[in-house]
Amino acid sequence: MKYWELDTPSLLIDREIMLDNLRFMQDWADSRKVALRPHTKTHKMPYIARLQKELGAVGIAVAKVGEAEVMAANGLDNIFIANEIVGEKKLERIRRVAETSTIAFGVDSPCQVQDAERVFASAAKPANVLIEIEVGENRSGIIEEKDFLDLLETMRRSPHVHFRGIFSHDGHSYSAKDTEECGRIFLESQRRTLRFADLAEGKGMKPEVVSIGSTPSLMNRFEILEGITELRPGTYVFMDASQAHAIGTLDRCAATVLATVISKPTAERVIMDVGAKGLTMQERTKGICATPGKGTIREFPSVHIFAVYDEHAIIYDREFREKVSIGEKLRIIPVHICPVCNLYDSATLISGDDVVEEIPILCRGKLQ
Amino acid sequence: MKYWELDTPSLLIDREIMLDNLRFMQDWADSRKVALRPHTKTHKMPYIARLQKELGAVGIAVAKVGEAEVMAANGLDNIFIANEIVGEKKLERIRRVAETSTIAFGVDSPCQVQDAERVFASAAKPANVLIEIEVGENRSGIIEEKDFLDLLETMRRSPHVHFRGIFSHDGHSYSAKDTEECGRIFLESQRRTLRFADLAEGKGMKPEVVSIGSTPSLMNRFEILEGITELRPGTYVFMDASQAHAIGTLDRCAATVLATVISKPTAERVIMDVGAKGLTMQERTKGICATPGKGTIREFPSVHIFAVYDEHAIIYDREFREKVSIGEKLRIIPVHICPVCNLYDSATLISGDDVVEEIPILCRGKLQ
């Protein structure tokens, strides 16, 4: 079967491009002698997580307890929930996963450690935790050294909580104004992360894991500093229009949304049958990952989506409008692939024009 | 069980507010002697569609064939797919639904009618179609009168296609600069829709259905012109932060996302455990539906979400930061509820603080 025989919208994954992306990052990690722990929140598919491990990944990262549960139930081990875990219900679920799998999670404040201590007091193994370090993204994570030392002290007094290491995310590299700034952000983020690793070592609590990473920095193969033990990129598996603009080519985009032209109401307007519910309304407007629209047409790389409604994508382009017919199917490269995969129950793996198989997106909607 | 005992993120529906919203719109339709056909793409729940029919709705609107299939399988009849249907696969699925239910769909160009004629040639009943009229939203639909007359002519020559009427959507009322302009848009949209109804009547093809509507115009109870037979709003069932700003109160917002404070990294920053995958990144920046953020905290109506990442919502507010604790659960009113419902497998119906029941969102992810 050819992919254009599929109904639309459908999420397609080009097998060869994906495998190239996976090997590229594994090779880079191997060559720098650091572990690769792909962030599977991008694809949410145990199928692809298994591929990543077969190629050499040390384990996987996930964002949610529900993702960890699905991955563990599908044979994945060595799972890190790269997110602050709050609340006894989630901690109890992690304790259950820990009975059969190796699992760790993130913290950035003492009350999270105290909750973990209480829930894991009756467990066979201690809770494995990593402290998040804020490196400039302005999201979560420890900022002040004093807070870090207090948190370590809380852990030292918590026999059922094991300090496994630290992690950071240089997500602000996405909006770096150019590649040079992206490299500077990556370097500064590593230095800041390593400063906290040194602080911990000074307290006699040397981190086993010092985990960093985001796709724009790692696709550019910026130097990895001594002391970093693990890379944690996610988007590199599929890439997307934002990442394509950061590296200057669409050739590495493995994931596309197959959509149909359903209306051509004016001489320059084309409507396709996928909108916010199959593509999101996300756009990036700043820096190296900025995109000229809300999606790019793979077959017409200069044509971008102008507006997205719940169920419609609108394109204004007279020349494009003349070239496509109502009923024609085209492939859209999404601006940011991570929330897009979360919208589909399955993706179709293709090789060239051929449909290979359907892959269930088993972690879709695992929000808790 | 109290709603705050639920894990997060969870989608909550306040039963009494929702029922008030449903009755408000049904009363308005009844008082103007027009039919109400709620657009169920907002909630995607057969449970609520049944409530809407019990309260007096003539039928339902959906956006996708997959939604129509689920609704029909769950006892709903008289279904209109308010969207251009393109492609034989979708037409064949509609033909199957038509064997047991009343179903209609939208068109705006002759090739769609020709495809329907071919697929329905062997069916027991003709295809019921409505022509979409573009009234200023700049989306799909017929613009030129000549194109409309050509389309009618194509239908006249298609014995297996039945012209059931016309429909339009004044979605540009969402970005009206004030209530007065919203009213003007509604009036002009109706006049334009009725002009096409007259054209059809002049050709001896008087439409049985003249269907209009969007929530901002109808919540404001702007006058409905003679000749309009049907209203087709969707968002009114739950309302959202955008609609709240359009009518000046949050009191009618029935749907909220329960989320937990998971980090307070600075003196003014608060992080909650829901992001683009449970809340979307949508914002509205223009007109009566413009919102000051990417979500509003129900318990602190002046506090809005500043930034949304895949899994995190970021708020900057020193006073709010001092008042909330890590682990505390709060209810977020989403900016646009329609794509949010599509992210959850189920919603929890609550009455006051009490959990009533869990409602499956059976049309979630029905993209085709």
Side-chain angles (χ1 to χ4, degrees), chain A residues 17-18 20-26 36-39 42 52 57 174 215 218-219 232-239 243 252 254 337:
Chain A
I17 298 177
M18 175 183 71
D20 281 350
N21 290 341
L22 294 183
R23 286 190 203 103
F24 175 92
M25 196 59 79
Q26 189 64 53
L36 179 66
R37 179 185 297 279
H39 207 319
T42 299
Q52 289 171 312
Y174 277 71
T215 293
L218 295 169
M219 286 302 291
R232 221 174 56 254
T235 312
Y236 78 98
V237 56
F238 296 148
M239 302 295 281
Q243 301 289 349
R252 287 177 165 185
I337 191 62

PDB file of all heavy atoms in Angstrom, chain A residues 17-18 20-26 36-39 42 52 57 174 215 218-219 232-239 243 252 254 337:
ATOM      1  N   ILE A  17      14.549   8.107   7.475  1.00  0.00           N
ATOM      2  CA  ILE A  17      14.981   9.398   8.046  1.00  0.00           C
ATOM      3  C   ILE A  17      15.070   9.271   9.569  1.00  0.00           C
ATOM      4  O   ILE A  17      16.031   9.719  10.200  1.00  0.00           O
ATOM      5  CB  ILE A  17      14.017  10.533   7.631  1.00  0.00           C
ATOM      6  CG1 ILE A  17      14.015  10.706   6.111  1.00  0.00           C
ATOM      7  CG2 ILE A  17      14.423  11.842   8.306  1.00  0.00           C
ATOM      8  CD1 ILE A  17      13.043  11.762   5.601  1.00  0.00           C
ATOM      9  N   MET A  18      14.062   8.624  10.165  1.00  0.00           N
ATOM     10  CA  MET A  18      14.074   8.449  11.618  1.00  0.00           C
ATOM     11  C   MET A  18      15.303   7.661  12.071  1.00  0.00           C
ATOM     12  O   MET A  18      15.997   8.062  13.011  1.00  0.00           O
ATOM     13  CB  MET A  18      12.811   7.741  12.089  1.00  0.00           C
ATOM     14  CG  MET A  18      12.836   7.426  13.575  1.00  0.00           C
ATOM     15  SD  MET A  18      11.391   6.510  14.140  1.00  0.00           S
ATOM     16  CE  MET A  18      11.689   4.903  13.393  1.00  0.00           C
ATOM     17  N   ASP A  20      18.140   7.324  10.601  1.00  0.00           N
ATOM     18  CA  ASP A  20      19.328   8.177  10.459  1.00  0.00           C
ATOM     19  C   ASP A  20      19.456   9.136  11.637  1.00  0.00           C
ATOM     20  O   ASP A  20      20.548   9.343  12.175  1.00  0.00           O
ATOM     21  CB  ASP A  20      19.261   8.979   9.148  1.00  0.00           C
ATOM     22  CG  ASP A  20      19.655   8.134   7.942  1.00  0.00           C
ATOM     23  OD1 ASP A  20      20.149   7.004   8.148  1.00  0.00           O
ATOM     24  OD2 ASP A  20      19.457   8.605   6.806  1.00  0.00           O
ATOM     25  N   ASN A  21      18.322   9.735  12.033  1.00  0.00           N
ATOM     26  CA  ASN A  21      18.346  10.666  13.169  1.00  0.00           C
ATOM     27  C   ASN A  21      18.774   9.945  14.446  1.00  0.00           C
ATOM     28  O   ASN A  21      19.564  10.465  15.235  1.00  0.00           O
ATOM     29  CB  ASN A  21      16.965  11.293  13.387  1.00  0.00           C
ATOM     30  CG  ASN A  21      16.586  12.274  12.280  1.00  0.00           C
ATOM     31  OD1 ASN A  21      17.452  12.763  11.551  1.00  0.00           O
ATOM     32  ND2 ASN A  21      15.298  12.573  12.157  1.00  0.00           N
ATOM     33  N   LEU A  22      18.229   8.753  14.644  1.00  0.00           N
ATOM     34  CA  LEU A  22      18.560   7.997  15.863  1.00  0.00           C
ATOM     35  C   LEU A  22      20.054   7.650  15.895  1.00  0.00           C
ATOM     36  O   LEU A  22      20.715   7.809  16.917  1.00  0.00           O
ATOM     37  CB  LEU A  22      17.713   6.717  15.944  1.00  0.00           C
ATOM     38  CG  LEU A  22      16.205   6.912  16.130  1.00  0.00           C
ATOM     39  CD1 LEU A  22      15.510   5.555  16.271  1.00  0.00           C
ATOM     40  CD2 LEU A  22      15.881   7.787  17.332  1.00  0.00           C
ATOM     41  N   ARG A  23      20.561   7.215  14.747  1.00  0.00           N
ATOM     42  CA  ARG A  23      21.985   6.829  14.694  1.00  0.00           C
ATOM     43  C   ARG A  23      22.889   8.052  14.861  1.00  0.00           C
ATOM     44  O   ARG A  23      23.919   7.983  15.527  1.00  0.00           O
ATOM     45  CB  ARG A  23      22.292   6.140  13.354  1.00  0.00           C
ATOM     46  CG  ARG A  23      21.749   4.723  13.283  1.00  0.00           C
ATOM     47  CD  ARG A  23      22.273   3.985  12.047  1.00  0.00           C
ATOM     48  NE  ARG A  23      21.373   2.900  11.694  1.00  0.00           N
ATOM     49  CZ  ARG A  23      20.495   2.920  10.686  1.00  0.00           C
ATOM     50  NH1 ARG A  23      20.410   3.996   9.890  1.00  0.00           N
ATOM     51  NH2 ARG A  23      19.721   1.881  10.454  1.00  0.00           N
ATOM     52  N   PHE A  24      22.490   9.162  14.265  1.00  0.00           N
ATOM     53  CA  PHE A  24      23.279  10.401  14.365  1.00  0.00           C
ATOM     54  C   PHE A  24      23.513  10.749  15.836  1.00  0.00           C
ATOM     55  O   PHE A  24      24.648  11.009  16.251  1.00  0.00           O
ATOM     56  CB  PHE A  24      22.529  11.540  13.654  1.00  0.00           C
ATOM     57  CG  PHE A  24      23.168  12.900  13.784  1.00  0.00           C
ATOM     58  CD1 PHE A  24      24.064  13.349  12.828  1.00  0.00           C
ATOM     59  CD2 PHE A  24      22.866  13.730  14.852  1.00  0.00           C
ATOM     60  CE1 PHE A  24      24.649  14.606  12.937  1.00  0.00           C
ATOM     61  CE2 PHE A  24      23.458  14.988  14.980  1.00  0.00           C
ATOM     62  CZ  PHE A  24      24.349  15.425  14.020  1.00  0.00           C
ATOM     63  N   MET A  25      22.449  10.743  16.634  1.00  0.00           N
ATOM     64  CA  MET A  25      22.581  11.162  18.032  1.00  0.00           C
ATOM     65  C   MET A  25      23.320  10.107  18.859  1.00  0.00           C
ATOM     66  O   MET A  25      24.123  10.444  19.722  1.00  0.00           O
ATOM     67  CB  MET A  25      21.200  11.439  18.616  1.00  0.00           C
ATOM     68  CG  MET A  25      21.200  12.232  19.909  1.00  0.00           C
ATOM     69  SD  MET A  25      21.974  13.881  19.794  1.00  0.00           S
ATOM     70  CE  MET A  25      20.655  14.843  19.030  1.00  0.00           C
ATOM     71  N   GLN A  26      23.049   8.829  18.559  1.00  0.00           N
ATOM     72  CA  GLN A  26      23.755   7.761  19.288  1.00  0.00           C
ATOM     73  C   GLN A  26      25.255   7.831  19.003  1.00  0.00           C
ATOM     74  O   GLN A  26      26.075   7.709  19.929  1.00  0.00           O
ATOM     75  CB  GLN A  26      23.178   6.388  18.903  1.00  0.00           C
ATOM     76  CG  GLN A  26      23.707   5.243  19.761  1.00  0.00           C
ATOM     77  CD  GLN A  26      23.292   5.372  21.227  1.00  0.00           C
ATOM     78  OE1 GLN A  26      22.107   5.517  21.526  1.00  0.00           O
ATOM     79  NE2 GLN A  26      24.255   5.349  22.139  1.00  0.00           N
ATOM     80  N   LEU A  36      23.372   8.115  26.248  1.00  0.00           N
ATOM     81  CA  LEU A  36      22.212   8.757  25.610  1.00  0.00           C
ATOM     82  C   LEU A  36      20.940   8.206  26.253  1.00  0.00           C
ATOM     83  O   LEU A  36      20.756   6.989  26.327  1.00  0.00           O
ATOM     84  CB  LEU A  36      22.211   8.481  24.105  1.00  0.00           C
ATOM     85  CG  LEU A  36      21.015   9.084  23.329  1.00  0.00           C
ATOM     86  CD1 LEU A  36      21.058  10.612  23.356  1.00  0.00           C
ATOM     87  CD2 LEU A  36      21.000   8.595  21.881  1.00  0.00           C
ATOM     88  N   ARG A  37      20.096   9.115  26.746  1.00  0.00           N
ATOM     89  CA  ARG A  37      18.809   8.737  27.329  1.00  0.00           C
ATOM     90  C   ARG A  37      17.735   9.546  26.595  1.00  0.00           C
ATOM     91  O   ARG A  37      17.380  10.650  27.010  1.00  0.00           O
ATOM     92  CB  ARG A  37      18.789   9.044  28.828  1.00  0.00           C
ATOM     93  CG  ARG A  37      17.453   8.699  29.518  1.00  0.00           C
ATOM     94  CD  ARG A  37      17.430   9.141  30.978  1.00  0.00           C
ATOM     95  NE  ARG A  37      18.408   8.471  31.793  1.00  0.00           N
ATOM     96  CZ  ARG A  37      18.253   7.245  32.316  1.00  0.00           C
ATOM     97  NH1 ARG A  37      17.126   6.595  32.124  1.00  0.00           N
ATOM     98  NH2 ARG A  37      19.207   6.704  33.042  1.00  0.00           N
ATOM     99  N   PRO A  38      17.227   9.041  25.481  1.00  0.00           N
ATOM    100  CA  PRO A  38      16.285   9.824  24.676  1.00  0.00           C
ATOM    101  C   PRO A  38      15.021  10.176  25.469  1.00  0.00           C
ATOM    102  O   PRO A  38      14.520   9.349  26.232  1.00  0.00           O
ATOM    103  CB  PRO A  38      15.941   8.877  23.523  1.00  0.00           C
ATOM    104  CG  PRO A  38      17.023   7.857  23.508  1.00  0.00           C
ATOM    105  CD  PRO A  38      17.473   7.709  24.917  1.00  0.00           C
ATOM    106  N   HIS A  39      14.544  11.402  25.271  1.00  0.00           N
ATOM    107  CA  HIS A  39      13.290  11.815  25.911  1.00  0.00           C
ATOM    108  C   HIS A  39      12.132  11.341  25.028  1.00  0.00           C
ATOM    109  O   HIS A  39      11.909  11.855  23.942  1.00  0.00           O
ATOM    110  CB  HIS A  39      13.234  13.327  26.104  1.00  0.00           C
ATOM    111  CG  HIS A  39      12.358  13.702  27.252  1.00  0.00           C
ATOM    112  ND1 HIS A  39      11.146  13.093  27.510  1.00  0.00           N
ATOM    113  CD2 HIS A  39      12.530  14.599  28.257  1.00  0.00           C
ATOM    114  CE1 HIS A  39      10.608  13.610  28.591  1.00  0.00           C
ATOM    115  NE2 HIS A  39      11.421  14.512  29.072  1.00  0.00           N
ATOM    116  N   THR A  42       8.502  12.909  23.162  1.00  0.00           N
ATOM    117  CA  THR A  42       8.314  13.358  21.779  1.00  0.00           C
ATOM    118  C   THR A  42       7.440  12.367  21.012  1.00  0.00           C
ATOM    119  O   THR A  42       6.438  12.756  20.415  1.00  0.00           O
ATOM    120  CB  THR A  42       9.667  13.506  21.055  1.00  0.00           C
ATOM    121  OG1 THR A  42      10.439  14.487  21.736  1.00  0.00           O
ATOM    122  CG2 THR A  42       9.477  13.915  19.605  1.00  0.00           C
ATOM    123  N   GLN A  52      15.432   2.767  20.118  1.00  0.00           N
ATOM    124  CA  GLN A  52      16.481   3.639  20.676  1.00  0.00           C
ATOM    125  C   GLN A  52      17.394   2.847  21.606  1.00  0.00           C
ATOM    126  O   GLN A  52      18.604   3.032  21.607  1.00  0.00           O
ATOM    127  CB  GLN A  52      15.829   4.845  21.384  1.00  0.00           C
ATOM    128  CG  GLN A  52      15.200   5.818  20.377  1.00  0.00           C
ATOM    129  CD  GLN A  52      14.365   6.916  21.007  1.00  0.00           C
ATOM    130  OE1 GLN A  52      13.521   6.647  21.865  1.00  0.00           O
ATOM    131  NE2 GLN A  52      14.556   8.154  20.581  1.00  0.00           N
ATOM    132  N   ALA A  57      20.961   3.314  23.469  1.00  0.00           N
ATOM    133  CA  ALA A  57      20.543   4.214  24.549  1.00  0.00           C
ATOM    134  C   ALA A  57      20.617   3.486  25.891  1.00  0.00           C
ATOM    135  O   ALA A  57      20.293   2.298  25.985  1.00  0.00           O
ATOM    136  CB  ALA A  57      19.120   4.717  24.308  1.00  0.00           C
ATOM    137  N   TYR A 174      16.326  27.065  22.048  1.00  0.00           N
ATOM    138  CA  TYR A 174      15.374  27.120  20.937  1.00  0.00           C
ATOM    139  C   TYR A 174      15.206  28.539  20.399  1.00  0.00           C
ATOM    140  O   TYR A 174      14.930  28.728  19.222  1.00  0.00           O
ATOM    141  CB  TYR A 174      13.989  26.621  21.381  1.00  0.00           C
ATOM    142  CG  TYR A 174      13.808  25.125  21.374  1.00  0.00           C
ATOM    143  CD1 TYR A 174      14.445  24.318  22.300  1.00  0.00           C
ATOM    144  CD2 TYR A 174      12.970  24.523  20.444  1.00  0.00           C
ATOM    145  CE1 TYR A 174      14.264  22.943  22.305  1.00  0.00           C
ATOM    146  CE2 TYR A 174      12.783  23.139  20.439  1.00  0.00           C
ATOM    147  CZ  TYR A 174      13.436  22.360  21.371  1.00  0.00           C
ATOM    148  OH  TYR A 174      13.245  21.003  21.368  1.00  0.00           O
ATOM    149  N   THR A 215      17.529  19.271  21.791  1.00  0.00           N
ATOM    150  CA  THR A 215      17.845  18.933  20.400  1.00  0.00           C
ATOM    151  C   THR A 215      18.673  19.987  19.641  1.00  0.00           C
ATOM    152  O   THR A 215      19.649  19.637  18.974  1.00  0.00           O
ATOM    153  CB  THR A 215      16.556  18.549  19.650  1.00  0.00           C
ATOM    154  OG1 THR A 215      16.073  17.324  20.210  1.00  0.00           O
ATOM    155  CG2 THR A 215      16.787  18.372  18.163  1.00  0.00           C
ATOM    156  N   LEU A 218      22.389  19.750  20.496  1.00  0.00           N
ATOM    157  CA  LEU A 218      23.039  18.461  20.217  1.00  0.00           C
ATOM    158  C   LEU A 218      23.075  18.149  18.729  1.00  0.00           C
ATOM    159  O   LEU A 218      24.016  17.511  18.242  1.00  0.00           O
ATOM    160  CB  LEU A 218      22.352  17.355  21.015  1.00  0.00           C
ATOM    161  CG  LEU A 218      22.517  17.534  22.540  1.00  0.00           C
ATOM    162  CD1 LEU A 218      21.607  16.589  23.306  1.00  0.00           C
ATOM    163  CD2 LEU A 218      23.971  17.333  22.959  1.00  0.00           C
ATOM    164  N   MET A 219      22.083  18.622  17.963  1.00  0.00           N
ATOM    165  CA  MET A 219      22.120  18.431  16.511  1.00  0.00           C
ATOM    166  C   MET A 219      23.288  19.214  15.917  1.00  0.00           C
ATOM    167  O   MET A 219      23.791  18.885  14.852  1.00  0.00           O
ATOM    168  CB  MET A 219      20.816  18.893  15.859  1.00  0.00           C
ATOM    169  CG  MET A 219      19.628  17.980  16.076  1.00  0.00           C
ATOM    170  SD  MET A 219      19.847  16.273  15.503  1.00  0.00           S
ATOM    171  CE  MET A 219      19.874  16.478  13.705  1.00  0.00           C
ATOM    172  N   ARG A 232      20.000  14.015  26.973  1.00  0.00           N
ATOM    173  CA  ARG A 232      18.581  13.707  27.120  1.00  0.00           C
ATOM    174  C   ARG A 232      17.709  14.408  26.058  1.00  0.00           C
ATOM    175  O   ARG A 232      16.664  14.963  26.369  1.00  0.00           O
ATOM    176  CB  ARG A 232      18.150  14.148  28.525  1.00  0.00           C
ATOM    177  CG  ARG A 232      17.222  13.234  29.265  1.00  0.00           C
ATOM    178  CD  ARG A 232      16.999  13.744  30.687  1.00  0.00           C
ATOM    179  NE  ARG A 232      16.496  15.107  30.702  1.00  0.00           N
ATOM    180  CZ  ARG A 232      17.185  16.188  31.018  1.00  0.00           C
ATOM    181  NH1 ARG A 232      18.440  16.120  31.378  1.00  0.00           N
ATOM    182  NH2 ARG A 232      16.628  17.386  30.979  1.00  0.00           N
ATOM    183  N   PRO A 233      18.099  14.385  24.782  1.00  0.00           N
ATOM    184  CA  PRO A 233      17.288  15.070  23.761  1.00  0.00           C
ATOM    185  C   PRO A 233      16.046  14.251  23.389  1.00  0.00           C
ATOM    186  O   PRO A 233      16.032  13.032  23.576  1.00  0.00           O
ATOM    187  CB  PRO A 233      18.244  15.150  22.573  1.00  0.00           C
ATOM    188  CG  PRO A 233      19.068  13.900  22.691  1.00  0.00           C
ATOM    189  CD  PRO A 233      19.258  13.692  24.173  1.00  0.00           C
ATOM    190  N   GLY A 234      15.031  14.913  22.860  1.00  0.00           N
ATOM    191  CA  GLY A 234      13.805  14.205  22.482  1.00  0.00           C
ATOM    192  C   GLY A 234      13.441  14.389  21.016  1.00  0.00           C
ATOM    193  O   GLY A 234      13.269  13.430  20.268  1.00  0.00           O
ATOM    194  N   THR A 235      13.376  15.650  20.585  1.00  0.00           N
ATOM    195  CA  THR A 235      12.829  15.995  19.278  1.00  0.00           C
ATOM    196  C   THR A 235      13.662  15.457  18.117  1.00  0.00           C
ATOM    197  O   THR A 235      13.160  15.290  17.012  1.00  0.00           O
ATOM    198  CB  THR A 235      12.691  17.528  19.169  1.00  0.00           C
ATOM    199  OG1 THR A 235      12.042  17.996  20.359  1.00  0.00           O
ATOM    200  CG2 THR A 235      11.862  17.942  17.982  1.00  0.00           C
ATOM    201  N   TYR A 236      14.948  15.179  18.365  1.00  0.00           N
ATOM    202  CA  TYR A 236      15.850  14.738  17.296  1.00  0.00           C
ATOM    203  C   TYR A 236      15.314  13.519  16.550  1.00  0.00           C
ATOM    204  O   TYR A 236      15.646  13.302  15.390  1.00  0.00           O
ATOM    205  CB  TYR A 236      17.240  14.423  17.874  1.00  0.00           C
ATOM    206  CG  TYR A 236      17.327  13.083  18.573  1.00  0.00           C
ATOM    207  CD1 TYR A 236      17.834  11.959  17.918  1.00  0.00           C
ATOM    208  CD2 TYR A 236      16.857  12.924  19.869  1.00  0.00           C
ATOM    209  CE1 TYR A 236      17.879  10.721  18.544  1.00  0.00           C
ATOM    210  CE2 TYR A 236      16.896  11.687  20.505  1.00  0.00           C
ATOM    211  CZ  TYR A 236      17.404  10.588  19.840  1.00  0.00           C
ATOM    212  OH  TYR A 236      17.437   9.375  20.446  1.00  0.00           O
ATOM    213  N   VAL A 237      14.477  12.688  17.209  1.00  0.00           N
ATOM    214  CA  VAL A 237      13.975  11.468  16.570  1.00  0.00           C
ATOM    215  C   VAL A 237      13.206  11.782  15.275  1.00  0.00           C
ATOM    216  O   VAL A 237      13.363  11.087  14.267  1.00  0.00           O
ATOM    217  CB  VAL A 237      13.101  10.648  17.553  1.00  0.00           C
ATOM    218  CG1 VAL A 237      11.950  11.477  18.117  1.00  0.00           C
ATOM    219  CG2 VAL A 237      12.550   9.393  16.892  1.00  0.00           C
ATOM    220  N   PHE A 238      12.390  12.831  15.320  1.00  0.00           N
ATOM    221  CA  PHE A 238      11.564  13.179  14.148  1.00  0.00           C
ATOM    222  C   PHE A 238      11.959  14.511  13.517  1.00  0.00           C
ATOM    223  O   PHE A 238      11.664  14.747  12.354  1.00  0.00           O
ATOM    224  CB  PHE A 238      10.090  13.284  14.540  1.00  0.00           C
ATOM    225  CG  PHE A 238       9.481  11.998  15.028  1.00  0.00           C
ATOM    226  CD1 PHE A 238       8.473  12.010  15.990  1.00  0.00           C
ATOM    227  CD2 PHE A 238       9.889  10.771  14.528  1.00  0.00           C
ATOM    228  CE1 PHE A 238       7.890  10.837  16.439  1.00  0.00           C
ATOM    229  CE2 PHE A 238       9.312   9.587  14.971  1.00  0.00           C
ATOM    230  CZ  PHE A 238       8.314   9.621  15.930  1.00  0.00           C
ATOM    231  N   MET A 239      12.529  15.407  14.354  1.00  0.00           N
ATOM    232  CA  MET A 239      12.735  16.799  13.924  1.00  0.00           C
ATOM    233  C   MET A 239      11.362  17.412  13.554  1.00  0.00           C
ATOM    234  O   MET A 239      10.333  16.758  13.643  1.00  0.00           O
ATOM    235  CB  MET A 239      13.721  16.896  12.770  1.00  0.00           C
ATOM    236  CG  MET A 239      15.102  16.304  13.092  1.00  0.00           C
ATOM    237  SD  MET A 239      15.998  17.183  14.401  1.00  0.00           S
ATOM    238  CE  MET A 239      16.620  18.598  13.479  1.00  0.00           C
ATOM    239  N   GLN A 243      12.989  22.817  14.138  1.00  0.00           N
ATOM    240  CA  GLN A 243      14.342  22.263  14.154  1.00  0.00           C
ATOM    241  C   GLN A 243      14.970  22.348  12.770  1.00  0.00           C
ATOM    242  O   GLN A 243      16.183  22.559  12.642  1.00  0.00           O
ATOM    243  CB  GLN A 243      14.299  20.796  14.623  1.00  0.00           C
ATOM    244  CG  GLN A 243      13.710  20.602  16.002  1.00  0.00           C
ATOM    245  CD  GLN A 243      14.613  21.109  17.118  1.00  0.00           C
ATOM    246  OE1 GLN A 243      15.775  21.427  16.884  1.00  0.00           O
ATOM    247  NE2 GLN A 243      14.073  21.200  18.317  1.00  0.00           N
ATOM    248  N   ARG A 252      15.811  16.227   7.335  1.00  0.00           N
ATOM    249  CA  ARG A 252      15.817  15.340   8.491  1.00  0.00           C
ATOM    250  C   ARG A 252      14.460  15.236   9.172  1.00  0.00           C
ATOM    251  O   ARG A 252      14.348  14.626  10.237  1.00  0.00           O
ATOM    252  CB  ARG A 252      16.872  15.811   9.493  1.00  0.00           C
ATOM    253  CG  ARG A 252      18.278  15.508   9.013  1.00  0.00           C
ATOM    254  CD  ARG A 252      19.299  16.054   9.986  1.00  0.00           C
ATOM    255  NE  ARG A 252      20.610  15.483   9.725  1.00  0.00           N
ATOM    256  CZ  ARG A 252      21.680  15.719  10.486  1.00  0.00           C
ATOM    257  NH1 ARG A 252      21.570  16.490  11.539  1.00  0.00           N
ATOM    258  NH2 ARG A 252      22.828  15.165  10.184  1.00  0.00           N
ATOM    259  N   ALA A 254      11.305  13.575   9.854  1.00  0.00           N
ATOM    260  CA  ALA A 254      10.785  12.222   9.640  1.00  0.00           C
ATOM    261  C   ALA A 254       9.277  12.151   9.820  1.00  0.00           C
ATOM    262  O   ALA A 254       8.644  11.211   9.335  1.00  0.00           O
ATOM    263  CB  ALA A 254      11.466  11.260  10.614  1.00  0.00           C
ATOM    264  N   ILE A 337       6.796  19.004  16.888  1.00  0.00           N
ATOM    265  CA  ILE A 337       6.228  17.660  16.735  1.00  0.00           C
ATOM    266  C   ILE A 337       5.706  17.060  18.053  1.00  0.00           C
ATOM    267  O   ILE A 337       4.763  16.253  18.032  1.00  0.00           O
ATOM    268  CB  ILE A 337       7.251  16.719  16.047  1.00  0.00           C
ATOM    269  CG1 ILE A 337       6.592  15.399  15.624  1.00  0.00           C
ATOM    270  CG2 ILE A 337       8.460  16.472  16.897  1.00  0.00           C
ATOM    271  CD1 ILE A 337       5.489  15.520  14.617  1.00  0.00           C
TER     272      ILE A 337
END
